[in-house]
Amino acid sequence: DADKVKGTDWASKVTVTGDLRYRYEAISDDTLNAAPPAGVTTADRYRDRIRARLAVTAKATDNLTLGLGLTSAENGDPRSGNQSLTGVFNKKPIEIDLAYFDWKFSSWGNLIGGKMKLPFVKGAQNLFWDNDITPEGVAFTFSRGIWFGSAYNFWLQEVGGNEPAVTSDPMIHGAQIGVRMPMGGSTLTLAAHYY
C-alpha cells in the first residue's frame, strides 16, 4: 500500500499538457512578377501546416516547479511552431520550447529562470509580444493584493570573440508594475511596462 501512495503522490505533482493543430492556408497574391514574363501575377499559394506542442510541469517541492516543453518549429522561428507539410515526406524538427524553474520564495513573489513563458502581464492583442515567444533568462514576479509586477533580464544572443576582443551580449532588461481593480463583476487591469 505504501508504494501505491507514493505512486499516486508523484502522479499528482506532474501535469502534462499539449495540443495539435492542422491548418490549411490559401494565399492569393496579385503582385506582378518583376522577372520574365513581366506583367504576369504571381501564382496563388496553397499550403497545409501543422503545429504540435507538449509540456510537462512537475512540482518538485512545495515552492519549486520545473517545466519542460517541446514544440514543432520551422527554421527555429521563435514566434511560431507551425510546420509546412513539404519536403517529400521529410521528418519535421522538434525544438525545446520551455526549460525553466519557478521558485515561489514567498507568498507574494517568484523567481523564474531558464526558457520560460512571458513573465509579465500583456493584453490579448499586443503589437510587441507574441504568446508563442518563450524568452530565455531570469525574472522576478510579484503579486500582492491588487498590485502585480515583474523585473527581468533576457539573453538574446551569446557573442563570442577572440581573447583580446571586447564583446557584448545583447540582452533585454525590463520591468512592469500594475494594478487589478475590481469593477462590479469585472476587473480593470492597468500596467506600465518599460524595457
Side-chain angles (χ1 to χ4, degrees):
D1 286 335
D3 288 339
K4 287 183 182 178
V5 171
K6 285 181 185 177
T8 303
D9 186 46
W10 175 86
S12 68
K13 294 181 180 183
V14 175
T15 304
V16 179
T17 58
D19 62 82
L20 176 66
R21 179 176 71 192
Y22 189 97
R23 182 167 73 190
Y24 170 77
E25 294 179 1
I27 302 167
S28 181
D29 189 350
D30 293 332
T31 305
L32 297 180
N33 269 340
V40 176
T41 59
T42 57
D44 291 342
R45 184 174 184 188
Y46 306 99
R47 65 183 178 176
D48 292 80
R49 306 191 86 197
I50 58 170
R51 182 186 71 190
R53 296 184 294 193
L54 182 67
V56 177
T57 55
K59 196 154 178 63
T61 66
D62 287 341
N63 59 354
L64 180 66
T65 301
L66 305 174
L68 175 64
L70 302 175
T71 186
S72 55
E74 194 165 85
N75 302 319
D77 186 346
R79 292 176 309 278
S80 172
N82 291 319
Q83 291 268 348
S84 294
L85 298 182
T86 185
V88 194
F89 312 132
N90 66 349
K91 305 296 184 208
K92 306 302 182 204
I94 296 291
E95 306 274 344
I96 294 176
D97 190 34
L98 298 167
Y100 67 92
F101 70 87
D102 185 341
W103 175 41
K104 187 167 189 63
F105 60 84
S106 75
S107 62
W108 52 268
N110 291 54
L111 179 66
I112 307 163
K115 188 160 183 61
M116 66 191 83
K117 293 180 182 177
L118 293 173
F120 47 81
V121 174
K122 65 175 208 54
Q125 298 296 319
N126 191 293
L127 297 175
F128 302 104
W129 295 99
D130 188 284
N131 284 331
D132 286 339
I133 297 282
T134 52
E136 302 161 5
V138 294
F140 158 77
T141 64
F142 78 90
S143 179
R144 190 169 184 117
I146 63 171
W147 296 96
F148 66 88
S150 64
Y152 55 85
N153 181 55
F154 298 152
W155 287 273
L156 297 177
Q157 186 74 38
E158 190 276 327
V159 179
N162 296 330
E163 195 68 35
V166 176
T167 59
S168 177
D169 295 340
M171 299 181 180
I172 294 179
H173 314 288
Q176 180 184 65
I177 185 84
V179 62
R180 288 187 181 97
M181 297 181 291
M183 303 193 88
S186 299
T187 302
L188 175 65
T189 302
L190 298 173
H193 189 175
Y194 177 82
Y195 60 93

